[in-house]
Amino acid sequence: AQDIIEKYAVLVNLSAPSLAAILKSAKSGDIDMEDWAPAIKEVRLLLENDQFPRFRRSETYLTFLELILPREDAEIWSSNFDKLLANAVGRHHFRLFLRSIRAEENLRLWDAVVEFRVLMSTKKKTELKSMMTLAKDIISIFLREGANEVYLPYSIKEKIERRVANGLVAIDLFDEAIRHIEQALRNDPYVRFLLSPEYKNLCAKLTR
């Protein structure tokens, strides 16, 4: 146990109480897993809320999904925008195309809100403070003036910021913003993507 702590404690962001508990347990020589439970819970939450979502966006995972994606699934995207967005491989290639036309921020915001909704649906009321922080991060990155700013009507931005300022963070916080973004993507970029080499080359290399 002492070896594990010495090797990994500096690499894992544990809270002071959890770290103190496992250090005390290790030094005593009488390992009680109850002492380790808080640290294990914190590591699990870190994996679930940070590293697992990052893995799902990784090149390794997306390459694997692409290898097993049937061509007919990709061909359906040509007539179904929602299924394109619902598919990780589809979103990846759509994002690459959007990057080439400098419109990637729209899909990045869409992804961020999807993750926000998933986390909101699984959080307890006692954990809503962390969701408030996440909502503020999304606003700071995508709704404020800067390189990543996504165009939204002022009324939508103002409503989101007012709700956050009043502590009214809920799963539907960004719903109007997402509807606006989906419509904007559907109107022009989606059509152009279907005509692009990015999409055609993907379909060509997939097996039936």
PDB file of all heavy atoms in Angstrom, residues 78 119 186:
ATOM      1  N   SER A  78     -26.814  11.403 -45.052  1.00  0.00           N
ATOM      2  CA  SER A  78     -27.100  12.300 -46.176  1.00  0.00           C
ATOM      3  C   SER A  78     -28.548  12.770 -46.189  1.00  0.00           C
ATOM      4  O   SER A  78     -28.882  13.748 -46.861  1.00  0.00           O
ATOM      5  CB  SER A  78     -26.777  11.607 -47.509  1.00  0.00           C
ATOM      6  OG  SER A  78     -27.632  10.487 -47.704  1.00  0.00           O
ATOM      7  N   LEU A 119     -24.335  15.290 -17.465  1.00  0.00           N
ATOM      8  CA  LEU A 119     -23.905  15.444 -16.080  1.00  0.00           C
ATOM      9  C   LEU A 119     -25.041  15.959 -15.203  1.00  0.00           C
ATOM     10  O   LEU A 119     -25.211  15.512 -14.068  1.00  0.00           O
ATOM     11  CB  LEU A 119     -22.701  16.388 -16.007  1.00  0.00           C
ATOM     12  CG  LEU A 119     -21.399  15.844 -16.602  1.00  0.00           C
ATOM     13  CD1 LEU A 119     -20.320  16.921 -16.610  1.00  0.00           C
ATOM     14  CD2 LEU A 119     -20.912  14.629 -15.822  1.00  0.00           C
ATOM     15  N   ARG A 186     -27.632  23.165 -39.885  1.00  0.00           N
ATOM     16  CA  ARG A 186     -28.445  22.436 -40.856  1.00  0.00           C
ATOM     17  C   ARG A 186     -28.633  23.240 -42.151  1.00  0.00           C
ATOM     18  O   ARG A 186     -28.720  22.665 -43.244  1.00  0.00           O
ATOM     19  CB  ARG A 186     -29.809  22.126 -40.235  1.00  0.00           C
ATOM     20  CG  ARG A 186     -30.668  21.139 -41.011  1.00  0.00           C
ATOM     21  CD  ARG A 186     -32.090  21.135 -40.462  1.00  0.00           C
ATOM     22  NE  ARG A 186     -32.129  20.839 -39.045  1.00  0.00           N
ATOM     23  CZ  ARG A 186     -32.333  19.624 -38.536  1.00  0.00           C
ATOM     24  NH1 ARG A 186     -32.496  18.604 -39.350  1.00  0.00           N
ATOM     25  NH2 ARG A 186     -32.379  19.438 -37.232  1.00  0.00           N
TER      26      ARG A 186
END
